[in-house]
Amino acid sequence: MMILKDILYKVALNAVVGSTGVSINNIHFDSRNIKEADLFVAVTGSVVDGHKFIDVAIKSGATGIICETLPKNLIDGVTYVEVDSSTKALAIIASNFYGSPSENLKLVGVTGTNGKTTIASLLCQLFKNAGYKVGLLSTVKIVVDNKVYNATHTTPDSLTINRYLKEMNDVGVEFCFMEVSSHGIHQNRVEGLCFEGGIFTNLSHDHLDYHNTFAEYRDVKKAFFDGLSSKAFALVNTDDKNGLVMLQNTKAKKYTYALKGYADYKAQILENQFGGLLLKLNDSEVWTRLVGNFNAYNVLAIYATAELLGLEKVEILRLISELESVSGRFQYIISDEKITAIVDYAHTPDALKNVLETINSIRTKNEELITVVGCGGDRDKTKRPKMGHIASALSTKVIFTSDNPRSEKPEAILEDIEKGVEPQNFKKIVTISDRKQAIKTACQLAQPNDIILIAGKGHETYQEIKGERFDFDDYKIVQEFLKQLQK
């Protein structure tokens, strides 16, 4: 329980009606969770406006209301606080309520289109292997020292973030690595957090269903770096032209990494094969089990971050050589028939291109590269033909199939994907809307030494169709079909 006045510390207030001396048991932005003496934050969401549920929250026992517009009818005994942005207020309130937990550990945020999950997850793994207590807030899972929780969003809501950070404080976590999505930044979910550093990976076509333009998408990412303090570090990939944009207005200490251009941290690929990469990081060589050019960038970012956080160079190199790949990120299996199946989360044009180019750079060209790929429903439609173009241009055979169709008809999504296929590649493609059947067909088409790429869902263990989630794990399914071929 806290006094409302203390919960409102650092929140910009437009108006207050009632006493800020009331005691608050808990904070919620969902009126269904409100109980006696709780604080209700009315958030204007993309689908639901929380202001419509203020009366419901009060009937359930709310004694405090945070809102952007004061209700016409004010109830005696209830304190109303008007703010410009409920989401920004919620984030600051959440931090105050849980005792500013981000200030009690070293929190590093990772943002960009691709690589967030890999970098955050592997930094967590590396620091844990170095003997530290660590935390992780990622698309794949949430880690609090030795406890693992399921993740529902890339960047959780601000109450959830601060609740987990408080739990990390309670068990002595020293470092926490967090994926910071554009949605999370735009919706103020990371407002009020104290970051030790921020990492920018790259920027490519994604989320244009949410952000109106690429420039808006870029500027939202930039806002994260604009908000870093002078005590923090900002580490950016300068092989991406947007890297230096991220540094333009930041107060943080600036560091760069690159494979191609000049940078503070440089990497050179000496060997690239399905078994891993041999890299030269600045002036030292290291072998890693991670595969591909895109993972060379990820490893370089991990190396730089570990050094900026105070680990010794020799120890970092040893720890990098021990890292194991992240679930659903270039995760592969080789059958007894020598068929290689790769499962990867690549769900953007740039990510799909990176994975396919990596496979093509390693394979001998004597084998087939069969790609199974789709696009999610109710999401950015403009990337669908681009995905179709890339998959058909860089594979020898392609099966277009469902991803998470959600409320859309799979056939309509597949038609959009096919629009990107150039005439010379028509003969390569097959369309099978049932994803399980598509994976089975890929396995049946594959001959010894062929490579199957199953792209788009990666670590996800479900398929979302018409509001329902059904069990579906690409890795388990392809593993099962490859075993059947052995019989």
Side-chain angles (χ1 to χ4, degrees), residues 9 26 61 69 193 195 214 227 230 292 318 392 438:
Y9 177 61
N26 215 332
T69 305
L193 296 180
F195 284 93
F214 185 83
S230 58
R318 177 183 65 79
S392 58

Side-chain angles (χ1 to χ4, degrees), residues 123 136 178 192 200 230 291 395 404:
L123 277 167
L136 174 68
M178 175 182 181
F200 169 75
S230 58
V291 182
S395 311
N404 291 315

Side-chain angles (χ1 to χ4, degrees), residues 452-487:
I452 301 169
L453 170 66
I454 305 168
K457 289 174 57 60
H459 66 282
E460 293 178 351
T461 56
Y462 62 86
Q463 192 170 26
E464 195 172 337
I465 304 170
K466 296 190 182 302
E468 288 189 62
R469 286 192 172 189
F470 301 90
D471 289 343
F472 200 100
D473 186 323
D474 282 352
Y475 190 80
K476 286 183 179 177
I477 288 168
V478 72
Q479 193 174 37
E480 176 188 321
F481 285 134
L482 288 176
K483 280 183 180 177
Q484 288 177 10
L485 292 177
Q486 294 169 15
K487 294 177 181 177

Side-chain angles (χ1 to χ4, degrees), residues 1-9 11 22-28 37-39 41 89-101 158-160 162-163 166:
M1 183 176 284
M2 281 185 72
I3 304 300
L4 179 57
K5 181 180 178 181
D6 296 330
I7 292 173
L8 294 173
Y9 177 61
V11 177
V22 296
S23 295
I24 298 296
N25 277 333
N26 215 332
I27 304 166
H28 297 288
D38 282 352
L39 177 66
V41 183
L90 176 63
I92 298 169
I93 286 167
S95 179
N96 291 336
F97 186 74
Y98 287 105
S100 303
S158 48
L159 277 171
T160 302
N162 282 279
R163 187 175 72 249
K166 172 65 165 64

